Amino acid sequence: MLKRERQQYILHHINLHNRILSSDLCQVMDVSEDTIRRDLQELADEGKLVKVHGGALSTSFHDFAQTSLVYSHDKKKIIAQKAASYIQDGMFVLTTGGTTILELARALPHHLNATFITGSLPAALEYIRHPKIEVIFIGDKISKASQITVGGEAISRIQQIKADLCFLGINAIDVEHGITDNDWDVVQVKKAMTKASKKVIALTIAEKINTVQKIEVIPIRDLDVLITELDPSDPLLEPYRKTVPEIK
């Protein structure tokens, strides 16, 4: 694979999944760690990604304030509008982090009176701008890569909550492998959130459908609603309609 092709592959997958590991790139492209290290450094120098230990982050995932950098921004706005319709006054809502969750925060109607619980710094900052929303921030160690709190204390606090809804910003989804991610600590927080909620709603652009990461968050059968930018009748969603109670 030529350097140009490698770097296009890297950029596509890092924008899609927010984070990518050098070890995975070496395996997929069958090149040395030194080659991947040089590619990542070159792309970082050009401002196209953020190089971190063991891999890289999407620029939009690292700097949430710049919506112009968000991958598939228009599609995520459609998803956010659909998701906002599930929230009613008086609800307690758990949310993870990520750019789609941020769009949900921005799409909330001004009259909504609800409580949002999150460990995501960017999401919390969006929620507190809302005139009527109460915000509970789950404190603990902050993951620099995801800008979300992780660890035992965060999980313990989540376990004390009985939320009406849990909105999951997801990394990958597949009928057989379920919802998966590539960050062990973040996965443990997401698992706790799903167990603490009456209804679990996954938000994803269609491009992440039928993709798989290494760590399972939940199996498909534990998902109550799947929201994408597609029409619910789209053929791509057919396998999921057999398992997920509601597609929107």
Side-chain angles (χ1 to χ4, degrees):
M1 188 180 288
L2 300 175
K3 183 174 81 168
R4 187 174 184 179
E5 294 173 322
R6 289 197 311 271
Q7 293 189 355
Q8 286 177 342
Y9 178 91
I10 291 169
L11 288 175
H12 176 73
H13 281 267
I14 204 168
N15 283 325
L16 185 59
H17 298 297
N18 301 320
R19 177 185 180 187
I20 200 160
L21 301 177
S22 299
S23 56
D24 290 344
L25 291 172
C26 293
Q27 184 177 359
V28 170
M29 293 189 278
D30 194 24
V31 294
S32 68
E33 290 185 13
D34 286 341
T35 298
I36 293 300
R37 192 178 299 113
R38 286 193 296 270
D39 282 342
L40 293 179
Q41 188 61 59
E42 186 173 322
L43 291 168
D45 291 343
E46 294 172 0
K48 295 178 178 178
L49 54 75
V50 179
K51 192 171 182 292
V52 295
H53 178 70
L57 301 173
S58 163
T59 52
S60 65
F61 197 68
H62 186 73
D63 187 355
F64 291 94
Q66 299 190 50
T67 56
S68 62
L69 298 176
V70 174
Y71 184 71
S72 295
H73 184 235
D74 290 343
K75 294 176 182 178
K76 291 176 181 180
K77 288 177 69 175
I78 293 171
I79 294 167
Q81 291 291 338
K82 292 182 180 182
S85 67
Y86 284 85
I87 307 167
Q88 300 176 10
D89 284 345
M91 280 188 167
F92 276 66
V93 183
L94 272 164
T95 72
T96 59
T99 51
T100 308
I101 294 294
L102 284 186
E103 289 308 315
L104 170 60
R106 293 165 183 148
L108 298 175
H110 285 274
H111 61 78
L112 180 66
N113 190 337
T115 300
F116 279 70
I117 309 157
T118 187
S120 166
L121 284 170
L125 290 172
E126 285 294 333
Y127 294 141
I128 62 175
R129 294 191 179 109
H130 193 283
K132 293 187 177 181
I133 283 176
E134 294 292 332
V135 184
I136 298 174
F137 187 75
I138 302 163
D140 202 334
K141 173 185 174 181
I142 297 176
S143 165
K144 290 184 178 180
S146 60
Q147 299 185 33
I148 193 169
T149 52
V150 295
E153 182 64 25
I155 291 170
S156 177
R157 289 181 180 275
I158 292 167
Q159 290 171 340
Q160 298 173 32
I161 296 165
K162 302 296 182 186
D164 297 289
L165 303 175
C166 171
F167 287 102
L168 286 178
I170 70 173
N171 206 322
I173 183 169
D174 176 81
V175 169
E176 182 180 351
H177 298 92
I179 293 173
T180 53
D181 210 311
N182 54 22
D183 187 313
W184 173 264
D185 290 329
V186 172
V187 166
Q188 305 318 305
V189 170
K190 288 183 175 182
K191 282 178 177 287
M193 285 187 170
T194 62
K195 292 177 181 177
S197 305
K198 294 178 183 177
K199 180 177 283 189
V200 179
I201 304 174
L203 313 181
T204 183
I205 56 173
E207 200 172 349
K208 293 184 180 182
I209 291 175
N210 300 333
T211 67
V212 180
Q213 295 290 306
K214 291 187 174 181
I215 311 169
E216 182 186 76
V217 180
I218 55 171
I220 289 295
R221 65 177 179 272
D222 290 349
L223 187 61
D224 296 295
V225 184
L226 174 61
I227 301 178
T228 76
E229 79 277 13
L230 302 175
D231 186 281
S233 63
D234 192 283
L236 182 65
L237 299 170
E238 177 59 32
Y240 298 87
R241 283 194 286 271
K242 298 175 182 176
T243 308
V244 181
E246 187 175 352
I247 307 286
K248 187 166 184 177

